Amino acid sequence: MQGVCSAAAAMAVELYLDLLSQPCRSVLIFAKKNNIPHEVKQVSLMDGEQHREDFGKVSLIRKVPALQDGDFCLAESPAILLYLARKFKTPDHWYPADLQQCARIDEYLSWQHCAIRLHGSKVFWLKLMIPEVLHVEVPKEKMDAAVEELNGSLKLLEEKFLQDRPFIAGDHISLADLVAIVEVMQPVAAGLDVFGGRPKLSAWRDRVQAAIGKELFDEVHQTVMGSQERVKVMDGSKLEFSKAKILKFFM
Amino acid sequence: MAARLGVEVYLDLLSQPCRALHILLGCTSLPHTVRHVALRRGDHRTPEFSQLNPMQKVPVMVDNGFVLTESDAIMKYLVNKYDVPEHWYPRQPERRARVDEYTAWHHTHTRPHAAKVFILEVLLPAQTSSPVDEERLSRAVSQLDDTLEKLESMFLRRQPFLCGDDVTVADLLAVCELMQPEAGGRDVLQQSPQLQRWKSRVRAAVGDAFDQAHAVLYAVRDRRRAKL
C-alpha cells in the first residue's frame, strides 16, 4: 500500500489557487471532477501573496492559477486545463479528439478573455469590491456601461456559442462550459441577477451544474459566493497597495 | 468530385491577427483562398458577414462549411488538421502547453497594449481628425513597455523563440501585434535589443511571407510619412 501511496503522491500536481479568482475555480473543479491527484496551495490575492518570492519561482507571471508538475510550471487556466486533460487522459468530452469540436472549444477559450471574463470581472469590482472595500464611489454611468457590456457578452454566449445546443461544443460538457460558468458566476457573487430573464442561460447553467455535480460546484464557489457578506467585515487596508492600479483598470 | 479550394479565410491585412494567420498560410503553403474584408469600409458589419460571424470580427476561416473564428483557434486547427511541420503547434504536451500559455496571455497583454498605442497614435486621430492625445499615448507606451519587459523575461528568456527552440504560432501572433504601431512610424522594440533579435529570427523563419502580410501596413506607414 505504501508503495502505491507514494507513487500517487509523486504524481500529484501542485495547484496554486485563490478561489475568489474565476480561472482558479475552473481548474479546481476539473481536477476534482476527474480525480486528478493534486495538492492545493492557497495563494491569497487579497493578502498580496502572489508577490511572495517562492510563488515567483512557480509563476514568473505571478498570477493564479499556476500549476507545478515536477519541474514543469505553467500559468493561464486554458493552458493548465488543456495540459491536465491531455496528461491525465480525461474523458474525451472535456476536450474531444475530434478536430472541429476541439476547435470550437479553443474558439471559446480565446474569445472569452476580452468578453465574459473581462466584463464579468469588471461588474464584480465595480458593484462590490470598489465601493464596499476601497470605499470609492462608482458613478452610475460606469456601472450601467459595465452591465451593458456584460449583457452583450452574455447575448453572444447564448446566441453564438450555445445556439440550440445543450453545451458549447455539443451534447456534452467541455472545458468551454467550465471556463464559461465560473466567469458567469462572478457577477452573480456581486449580487447581479444574471440569470433572471435568461431562461436559455439558466437552463445551460443547470445542465453544467448537474454535469459537474452540484455539491462540487457549490463547494468550489463557496468562497466567492460569500463575498457580499465578507466585504462587510473585510479590512479595506489590504487592498490599499493595489488601489491605484485597480481604479485605473476598472474605472 | 469537386475541386478542393482549400480553406477560405476572411481577412483584413491591417488587422494583426489576420496577418499572423496569413503568414502561417503563406509559409506552410496550405491551399487557401483569401476573401478580403475592409474594416475601414465597414465590410464586417454587413448582414452577410454578420451571418458568417456575429462578432463582426476578422479573421474567419471556413473549411468546407466549418466556420471558425479567433486567430489562435484557427491556427491551432490548421496545424492539427493539415500536413504542416508540427513545430508550429508542437504535439508534445509540455511544449504544446507553453504555446497555449502564451496565446492566453497574449489576449490580456501583448494584444491590447500594442493595439492601444496604434489606436491612440494612428487610428483615432485619422478617424476623428483630431490631434493625438499625447498624455494618454505616453501612458499607453509605458504600459506596452512593461508588457515587453514581461514578454522578454517571462517568455523569451534565453530561448530563440517565445515557446522554445522553434518558431510557433505564438511568435506569429506576438510579432504581428508588435508591428502594428509601425503604421505610425513607431518601432516599439527600439529599446529592446533581445526582442529585436527575436523578431529577426521570426522574420528569417517565415521568409517572404512576413513582408507580404505587412505590405498594406507598410503602405499606410509610407503614406503618412509622405504627408508629414
Side-chain angles (χ1 to χ4, degrees):
Chain A
M1 271 315 265
Q2 206 166 33
V4 170
C5 288
S6 53
M11 263 172 59
V13 299
E14 289 174 348
L15 298 174
Y16 291 76
L17 308 175
D18 179 334
L19 293 181
L20 282 175
S21 141
Q22 305 90 304
C24 289
R25 298 197 292 269
S26 60
V27 168
L28 187 60
I29 288 173
F30 189 69
K32 283 181 175 267
K33 180 72 185 168
N34 290 287
N35 297 310
I36 292 172
H38 66 278
E39 193 191 330
V40 174
K41 307 261 197 184
Q42 300 281 1
V43 178
S44 167
L45 297 174
M46 292 291 157
D47 293 313
E49 288 182 352
Q50 70 273 36
H51 300 295
R52 278 187 348 227
E53 202 184 306
D54 56 331
F55 183 64
K57 294 190 179 122
V58 177
S59 170
L60 284 169
I61 299 170
R62 290 195 180 276
K63 292 225 172 127
V64 285
L67 166 147
Q68 185 160 22
D69 183 10
D71 289 330
F72 182 66
C73 297
L74 192 62
E76 301 290 335
S77 65
I80 293 171
L81 289 166
L82 290 168
Y83 176 79
L84 291 174
R86 289 168 183 139
K87 171 148 185 176
F88 292 92
K89 299 185 173 31
T90 52
D92 183 72
H93 65 81
W94 286 110
Y95 191 70
D98 176 87
L99 290 181
Q100 287 192 5
Q101 284 194 292
C102 73
R104 211 35 96 214
I105 295 166
D106 285 338
E107 187 187 43
Y108 184 79
L109 293 179
S110 172
W111 173 79
Q112 59 94 32
H113 284 284
C114 299
I116 298 255
R117 172 149 176 70
L118 182 64
H119 303 148
S121 296
K122 198 168 182 179
V123 168
F124 181 76
W125 279 90
L126 291 182
K127 190 165 166 58
L128 192 67
M129 302 302 283
I130 290 173
E132 305 295 327
V133 181
L134 291 178
H135 305 295
V136 170
E137 196 187 320
V138 175
K140 188 174 183 300
E141 320 83 65
K142 282 221 186 283
M143 190 67 240
D144 289 346
V147 172
E148 263 316 289
E149 282 176 337
L150 178 61
N151 286 342
S153 284
L154 290 170
K155 189 163 188 272
L156 282 168
L157 171 56
E158 285 183 307
E159 292 177 8
K160 140 92 193 174
F161 288 99
L162 276 170
Q163 292 178 27
D164 51 5
R165 293 187 286 268
F167 297 97
I168 292 171
D171 290 332
H172 302 284
I173 191 173
S174 73
L175 292 178
D177 304 282
L178 187 54
V179 165
I181 194 73
V182 296
E183 295 294 345
V184 172
M185 291 308 290
Q186 200 80 351
V188 173
L192 188 74
D193 181 16
V194 168
F195 295 107
R198 292 192 171 98
K200 191 169 180 174
L201 197 71
S202 303
W204 165 77
R205 175 214 47 206
D206 292 342
R207 285 191 292 271
V208 172
Q209 284 182 347
I212 288 169
K214 189 100 184 15
E215 206 183 297
L216 172 58
F217 185 89
D218 287 344
E219 179 200 324
V220 172
H221 278 87
Q222 197 179 26
T223 312
V224 75
M225 292 309 287
S227 294
Q228 284 183 282
E229 282 305 307
R230 198 168 41 255
V231 296
K232 292 178 185 162
V233 299
M234 210 175 134
D235 178 8
S237 67
K238 284 187 178 201
L239 282 180
E240 276 305 308
F241 70 95
S242 16
K243 184 172 176 172
K245 209 166 105 172
I246 291 167
L247 292 178
K248 202 167 101 169
F249 189 77
F250 290 112
M251 304 263 271
Chain B
M1 188 128 148
R4 278 210 69 233
L5 294 167
V7 297
E8 275 179 285
V9 287
Y10 291 75
L11 304 178
D12 179 334
L13 290 179
L14 279 174
S15 143
Q16 307 87 308
C18 286
R19 292 197 296 271
L21 174 56
H22 191 263
I23 292 173
L24 182 71
L25 290 167
C27 58
T28 56
S29 304
L30 267 172
H32 64 281
T33 307
V34 175
R35 307 261 182 237
H36 289 285
V37 176
L39 299 176
R40 286 202 317 195
R41 264 197 330 239
D43 287 357
H44 54 308
R45 294 196 224 280
T46 61
E48 302 80 29
F49 191 79
S50 303
Q51 190 152 44
L52 186 68
N53 182 15
M55 263 89 79
Q56 298 186 332
K57 296 219 172 129
V58 283
V60 182
M61 176 209 79
V62 186
D63 184 7
N64 289 300
F66 175 60
V67 181
L68 191 62
T69 66
E70 298 294 322
S71 56
D72 43 355
I74 294 171
M75 290 197 287
K76 289 173 183 178
Y77 169 82
L78 291 172
V79 178
N80 281 335
K81 181 164 179 185
Y82 292 105
D83 185 22
V84 300
E86 70 139 296
H87 67 76
W88 288 108
Y89 188 44
R91 286 196 201 111
Q92 195 270 335
E94 291 180 10
R95 294 177 63 209
R96 180 159 281 209
R98 283 267 92 82
V99 179
D100 292 333
E101 184 185 51
Y102 179 75
T103 58
W105 189 83
H106 178 85
H107 284 287
T108 49
H109 290 78
T110 317
R111 177 149 173 70
H113 300 163
K116 197 161 188 185
V117 170
F118 164 74
I119 288 166
L120 288 172
E121 192 155 47
V122 180
L123 196 66
L124 269 182
Q127 283 175 341
T128 60
S129 303
S130 54
V132 173
D133 184 333
E134 296 291 347
E135 206 193 303
R136 282 187 78 196
L137 176 62
S138 168
R139 285 202 299 269
V141 169
S142 179
Q143 186 180 51
L144 178 59
D145 284 339
D146 278 343
T147 285
L148 291 177
E149 212 241 311
K150 288 177 182 149
L151 189 67
E152 201 179 303
S153 63
M154 295 171 185
F155 292 95
L156 190 63
R157 293 172 288 154
R158 295 198 191 294
Q159 302 173 127
F161 296 98
L162 290 178
C163 300
D165 290 334
D166 249 313
V167 70
T168 67
V169 298
D171 299 285
L172 298 185
L173 287 165
V175 83
C176 289
E177 290 296 340
L178 297 177
M179 282 299 291
Q180 194 77 347
E182 292 255 1
R186 178 185 289 269
D187 176 7
V188 299
L189 299 186
Q190 213 171 34
Q191 320 284 0
S192 316
Q194 293 273 53
L195 289 176
Q196 283 174 358
R197 284 193 279 275
W198 158 75
K199 180 178 153 184
S200 302
R201 288 191 288 271
V202 177
R203 287 187 75 147
V206 308
D208 291 336
F210 189 90
D211 285 338
Q212 277 160 17
H214 285 88
V216 187
L217 189 80
Y218 297 152
V220 170
R221 176 195 62 192
D222 297 342
R223 272 202 304 275
R224 277 174 57 97
R225 264 195 200 138
K227 278 188 196 159
L228 292 168

